[in-house]
């Protein structure tokens, strides 16, 4: 009888899924990985350059398509794109964590924190840059780097931040807010502070891959080891920030190096999530960049022949790859804002809408 009590819930869960009554198993933690400007083709270029393998493709259990348009433009920028993921609202290009009327919108990181979870970001751009900023700052313009850095400093929601942009921050204010500040990848690994801000280097903008070293994968695993101590769970955003920059410059080598760097980090994160069993990993992009197409194989450089049709973002919808409990919710074609609502539902967090 005792055994039956243990077995029965499993039988019921199995039956409800088998009967098509899809009630997804809910994860304790969510890791959202954003490849800035990274369409399917950017990742396929990395897959080709890696000799026909990509961790993201290997692990993906469900794949969806995200429509990326912003509120005021057919083609989004990274501020409106990240605000869609962080708040579930379409806003105008250039706006960080606010509606088009400048009302402050609560972010998923802030909701998670209010519910006792831990949160953080790991990026390869400056921390006040549009994508990470949209999770912890609220400003009408992405260009207000100092104001965004001050917002990030004052926001209690983050436990750990890894990225660049040290010159934009007031380190005394960071220390006052309880942050242990470290500079460099080695120093980050020694940082044992209760709250941490780990700068990759002292530059405004971190170096491109591979020159900056394994900052993204080391930073991601450092953040996970810290955040996973919270029994109530965590929300972590990891960004391959510079894939977009390589594509803006129509620089094939840089685009591929950054996409491989992102996939290396994804490989570590996904292997950890597979072991953990309670973590959903969602990997997507805020938009495509460069209108990239592949025209053949360049045997000399061991990479595809890449043609960029634009030096800007494009309207092309982007893939969403999901792995872990609740992954099946990410199949289908939907607006970028739906990613926020799916994550909030899976974490049992209350939305305003
Ligand atoms: Mg970005
Ligand atoms: Zn861009």
């Amino acid at each position: 009888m005792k055994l039956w009590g243990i077995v029965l819930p499993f039988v019921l869960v199995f039956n409800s899924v088998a009967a098509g009554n899809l009630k997804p198993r809910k994860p304790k933690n969510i890791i959202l990985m954003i490849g800035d400007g990274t369409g399917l083709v950017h990742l396929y270029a990395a897959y080709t350059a890696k000799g026909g393998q990509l961790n993201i493709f290997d692990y993906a259990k469900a794949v969806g398509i995200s429509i990326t348009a912003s509120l005021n433009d057919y083609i989004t920028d990274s501020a409106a794109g990240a605000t869609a993921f962080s708040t579930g609202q379409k806003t105008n290009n250039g706006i960080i964590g606010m509606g088009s009327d400048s009302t402050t919108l609560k972010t998923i990181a802030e909701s998670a924190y209010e519910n006792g979870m831990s949160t953080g970001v790991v990026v390869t751009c400056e921390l006040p840059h549009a994508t990470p900023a949209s999770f912890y700052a609220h400003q009408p313009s992405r260009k207000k780097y100092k104001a965004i850095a001050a917002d990030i400093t004052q926001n209690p929601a983050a436990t750990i931040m890894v990225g660049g942009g040290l010159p934009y921050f007031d380190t005394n204010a960071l220390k006052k807010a309880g942050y242990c500040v470290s500079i460099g990848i080695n120093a980050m690994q020694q940082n044992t502070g209760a709250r941490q801000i780990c700068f990759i280097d002292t530059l405004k903008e971190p170096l491109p891959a591979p020159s900056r070293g394994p900052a993204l994968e080391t930073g991601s695993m450092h953040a996970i080891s810290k955040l996973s101590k919270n029994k109530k769970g965590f929300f972590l955003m990891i960004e391959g920030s510079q894939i977009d920059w390589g594509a803006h410059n129509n620089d094939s080598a840089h685009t591929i190096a950054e996409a491989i760097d992102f996939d290396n980090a994804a490989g570590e994160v996904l292997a950890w999530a597979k072991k953990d069993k309670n973590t959903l990993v969602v990997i997507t992009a805020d938009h495509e960049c460069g209108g990239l197409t592949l025209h053949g194989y360049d045997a000399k450089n061991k990479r595809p022949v890449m043609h960029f049709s634009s030096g800007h973002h494009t309207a092309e919808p982007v893939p969403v790859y999901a792995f872990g409990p609740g992954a099946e919710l990410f199949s289908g074609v939907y607006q970028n804002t739906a990613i926020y609502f799916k994550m909030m539902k899976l974490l049992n967090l209350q939305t305003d809408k």
Side-chain angles (χ1 to χ4, degrees):
M1 282 309 279
K2 224 177 183 186
L3 182 69
W4 185 240
I6 294 165
V7 171
L8 188 61
F10 285 97
V11 172
L12 289 174
V13 167
F14 179 77
N15 281 343
S16 70
V17 172
N21 177 16
L22 283 176
K23 260 210 160 170
R25 190 162 81 79
K26 292 192 170 179
K28 182 172 149 195
N29 317 305
I30 292 184
I31 301 172
L32 173 64
M33 296 191 70
I34 301 171
D36 199 309
T38 309
L40 171 63
V41 180
H42 302 64
L43 287 186
Y44 190 64
Y47 168 94
T48 305
K50 283 182 77 178
Q53 190 272 333
L54 205 70
N55 297 317
I56 295 169
F57 291 173
D58 286 348
Y59 276 92
K61 285 285 176 286
V63 179
I65 297 285
S66 164
I67 295 170
T68 65
S70 69
L71 186 65
N72 70 332
D73 204 315
Y74 187 54
I75 297 176
T76 191
D77 81 324
S78 294
T83 299
F85 299 146
S86 69
T87 72
Q89 302 297 312
K90 296 252 188 196
T91 195
N92 292 347
N93 284 358
I95 296 179
I96 302 285
M98 292 178 132
S100 57
D101 57 355
S102 292
T103 47
T104 293
L105 302 170
K106 193 188 286 184
T107 72
I108 185 170
E110 291 163 347
S111 296
Y113 169 71
E114 282 176 10
N115 279 267
M117 298 173 72
S118 293
T119 82
V121 293
V122 179
V123 300
T124 51
C125 59
E126 47 274 47
L127 284 164
H129 206 272
T131 311
S134 299
F135 289 80
Y136 295 102
H138 306 276
Q139 291 291 337
S141 168
R142 60 181 289 173
K143 292 178 184 154
K144 296 184 166 189
Y145 269 43
K146 288 238 162 165
I148 291 169
D151 274 6
I152 290 171
T153 304
Q154 297 309 323
N155 195 326
T159 296
I160 181 160
M161 311 203 84
V162 179
L166 172 64
Y168 298 108
F169 286 87
D170 173 345
T171 44
N172 285 327
L174 282 171
K175 284 171 191 163
K176 235 179 156 182
Y179 276 112
C180 278
V181 182
S182 63
I183 301 167
I185 300 175
N186 289 337
M188 170 179 71
Q189 290 175 288
Q190 313 297 321
N191 194 335
T192 53
R195 284 191 93 192
Q196 299 179 17
I197 188 156
C198 308
F199 292 102
I200 295 170
D201 49 36
T202 56
L203 306 170
K204 277 188 171 174
E205 192 175 278
L207 294 171
S211 312
R212 70 173 169 268
L216 194 61
E217 57 184 282
T218 314
S220 298
M221 296 319 292
H222 178 68
I224 287 171
S225 72
K226 174 135 196 71
L227 296 173
S228 60
K229 292 195 176 107
N230 187 333
K231 290 195 172 71
K232 290 190 171 169
F234 69 84
F235 172 80
L236 173 65
M237 192 284 284
I238 298 169
E239 184 196 24
S241 318
Q242 297 196 33
I243 304 165
D244 182 67
W245 304 356
H248 273 293
N249 292 329
N250 290 186
D251 182 333
S252 300
H254 187 209
T255 303
I256 284 185
E258 293 292 350
I260 289 176
D261 184 67
F262 183 60
D263 187 60
N264 288 342
E268 298 264 330
V269 167
L270 288 159
W272 181 86
K274 189 179 179 184
K275 253 196 225 158
D276 179 67
K277 296 187 176 72
N278 280 313
T279 301
L280 169 70
V281 183
V282 179
I283 305 174
T284 189
D286 46 0
H287 50 75
E288 198 272 351
C289 183
L292 179 59
T293 49
L294 309 178
H295 290 253
Y297 183 68
D298 173 354
K300 187 168 161 257
N301 291 306
K302 295 195 169 89
R303 68 181 191 221
V305 178
M306 295 161 71
H307 174 74
F308 293 93
S309 63
S310 161
H312 303 286
H313 303 167
T314 71
E316 200 175 276
V318 293
V320 183
Y321 312 87
F323 173 86
E328 62 274 23
L329 269 183
F330 292 82
S331 295
V333 182
Y334 41 80
Q335 296 292 329
N336 54 2
T337 44
I339 293 171
Y340 163 88
F341 289 102
K342 291 174 196 294
M343 295 191 298
M344 292 290 280
K345 182 179 170 185
L346 288 168
L347 291 177
N348 296 319
L349 296 173
Q350 207 78 40
T351 59
D352 291 338
K353 275 203 163 184

